[in-house]
Amino acid sequence: MSYQAIIADDEKMLIELIKKLGDGSEMGIEIVDECSDGEIALESILRHHPDFVISDIQMPSYDGLELIEKVRETYTDIFFVLISGYRLFEYAQSAVR
């Protein structure tokens, strides 16, 4: 089975790291786009309708949580994986609840 994914993070080095860790060719994951902020990510998600999105919580335009809210207005079947720096972990936990 093949999956399509979008990576949304404002740090290019982290995008590259995620791509290397996931090595899509072995896992059946195709990265259809890489986005540097939440607004660009939203446009890409609406255009590509990926299976899942790997998103930083803190980015320019829309943060990862706002991105999820905006996507949910149109799609409810996209899975999100949120990543964050350690200092934001408690914020992320409470927001996901």
Side-chain angles (χ1 to χ4, degrees):
M1 182 167 216
S2 177
Y3 299 98
Q4 291 187 331
I6 290 174
I7 302 172
D9 198 308
D10 58 334
E11 294 186 42
K12 184 68 175 165
M13 285 179 42
L14 287 177
I15 289 176
E16 293 304 317
L17 177 62
I18 292 167
K19 286 172 29 181
K20 286 182 182 180
L21 290 174
D23 191 5
S25 61
E26 289 182 18
M27 298 179 68
I29 300 170
E30 175 190 4
I31 305 298
V32 294
D33 205 358
E34 303 167 16
C35 305
S36 60
D37 71 43
E39 186 174 4
I40 294 168
L42 178 60
E43 292 170 7
S44 181
I45 292 165
L46 296 177
R47 182 174 55 252
H48 293 287
H49 190 217
D51 297 295
F52 67 96
V53 176
I54 300 170
S55 177
D56 189 5
I57 287 181
Q58 191 169 20
M59 307 182 278
S61 299
Y62 305 128
D63 67 28
L65 301 173
E66 292 170 320
L67 180 61
I68 291 171
E69 286 179 24
K70 292 190 177 295
V71 169
R72 291 288 181 250
E73 293 172 5
T74 305
Y75 296 120
T76 58
D77 61 340
I78 296 174
F79 182 73
F80 281 82
V81 176
L82 295 175
I83 55 176
S84 76
Y86 180 76
R87 70 179 194 268
L88 296 175
F89 185 70
E90 288 179 14
Y91 167 70
Q93 265 186 323
S94 64
V96 170
R97 284 188 197 129

